[in-house]
Amino acid sequence: AQSVTQLGSHVSVSEGALVLLRCNYSSSVPPYLFWYVQYPNQGLQLLLKYTTGATLVKGINGFEAEFKKSETSFHLTKPSAHMSDAAEYFCALNTGGFKTIFGAGTRLFVKA
Amino acid sequence: SAVISQKPSRDICQRGTSLTIQCQVDSQVTMMFWYRQQPGQSLTLIATANQGSEATYESGFVIDKFPISRPNLTFSTLTVSNMSPEDSSIYLCSAPPGTSGSGETQYFGPGTRLLVL
């Protein structure tokens, strides 16, 4: 069965510090992996996605993620946090077809 | 890409009543999805809405409680019937713009925030 595990329901960083949000997945077939962000009172929007090809994926707002098959991970990073990055982040998995499995989410807090 | 709107954006309802949520996409899409996001939780898929056929419900969700309509390729409704406080959630609709499914980005509406008293 496919699953997505996000390590840490809450992450707090200082403004300007590195952001690292962890995501591990389980899939019996090659996965498609996504990071979505949800700002307060809004729906989800795509940050980045991995389908095939280059394992380091760059997204919007300076975020990037690296697909590591050997570690079954797809961690999200940003070199320098900004106050506007405070939001809920969801890692998601799709293994073909339309159904997408979402992780539990990680709320990012950014301290001034 | 696709732009998705939902109505209402929020509502407060009395238990035992029903609420219909509308979802409009700015382009024709094959599939539309309805999710529930309970407070502090992740997204749970309620059902997949296909135009011209019955919606497909996930385990734990039934048509009598969550009837869905999909009259055309740009519109869908979800009704939350005979509501109880446990139905208080954010309800999100989404759609992938393409038809292949695999690896497709999903575009989301802003959500409907429902509080049942």
Side-chain angles (χ1 to χ4, degrees):
Chain A
Q2 289 79 30
S3 66
V4 176
T5 302
Q6 290 184 239
L7 301 173
S9 58
H10 298 84
V11 170
S12 181
V13 300
S14 298
E15 193 172 22
L18 171 73
V19 175
L20 171 61
L21 304 183
R22 300 178 187 273
C23 173
N24 287 91
Y25 69 90
S26 174
S27 175
S28 56
V29 299
Y32 302 100
L33 294 161
F34 305 79
W35 276 99
Y36 288 88
V37 60
Q38 184 179 34
Y39 298 103
N41 297 314
Q42 295 186 29
L44 280 69
Q45 68 179 84
L46 181 72
L47 271 179
L48 50 81
K49 69 177 180 181
Y50 168 79
T51 53
T52 59
T55 56
L56 182 62
V57 181
K58 295 187 183 298
I60 62 171
N61 301 337
F63 284 94
E64 63 182 37
E66 186 170 12
F67 171 64
K68 292 187 176 181
K69 183 179 178 180
S70 61
E71 299 177 10
T72 61
S73 69
F74 190 57
H75 301 332
L76 181 71
T77 61
K78 182 175 180 177
S80 176
H82 191 272
M83 297 296 288
S84 61
D85 295 326
E88 186 91 20
Y89 292 80
F90 293 94
C91 183
L93 166 72
N94 171 280
T95 57
F98 285 98
K99 194 170 290 188
T100 299
I101 299 168
F102 290 85
T106 297
R107 182 164 294 278
L108 176 65
F109 297 92
V110 182
K111 300 174 291 187
Chain B
S1 67
V3 177
I4 301 177
S5 59
Q6 286 184 236
K7 290 182 183 179
S9 59
R10 59 181 67 240
D11 208 341
I12 301 173
C13 300
Q14 297 298 317
R15 69 174 67 207
T17 63
S18 297
L19 176 72
T20 296
I21 302 168
Q22 300 178 10
C23 180
Q24 179 76 52
V25 188
D26 70 343
S27 57
Q28 294 184 342
V29 293
T30 303
M31 314 284 280
M32 293 178 74
F33 301 93
W34 286 98
Y35 288 89
R36 182 173 71 183
Q37 186 180 19
Q38 294 180 302
Q41 307 281 325
S42 185
L43 282 72
T44 301
L45 181 64
I46 298 171
T48 303
N50 306 310
Q51 195 269 333
S53 65
E54 293 285 330
T56 303
Y57 289 83
E58 298 298 305
S59 176
F61 297 97
V62 296
I63 187 171
D64 290 346
K65 176 67 175 177
F66 296 102
I68 287 171
S69 78
R70 181 81 199 273
N72 58 51
L73 291 174
T74 65
F75 188 77
S76 178
T77 66
L78 170 76
T79 299
V80 186
S81 302
N82 188 25
M83 289 184 284
S84 68
E86 291 70 35
D87 294 318
S88 298
S89 287
I90 301 171
Y91 291 86
L92 295 151
C93 71
S94 77
T99 58
S100 70
S102 299
E104 292 260 19
T105 299
Q106 288 198 42
Y107 292 89
F108 285 83
T112 295
R113 283 147 183 81
L114 171 62
L115 176 63
V116 184
L117 302 177

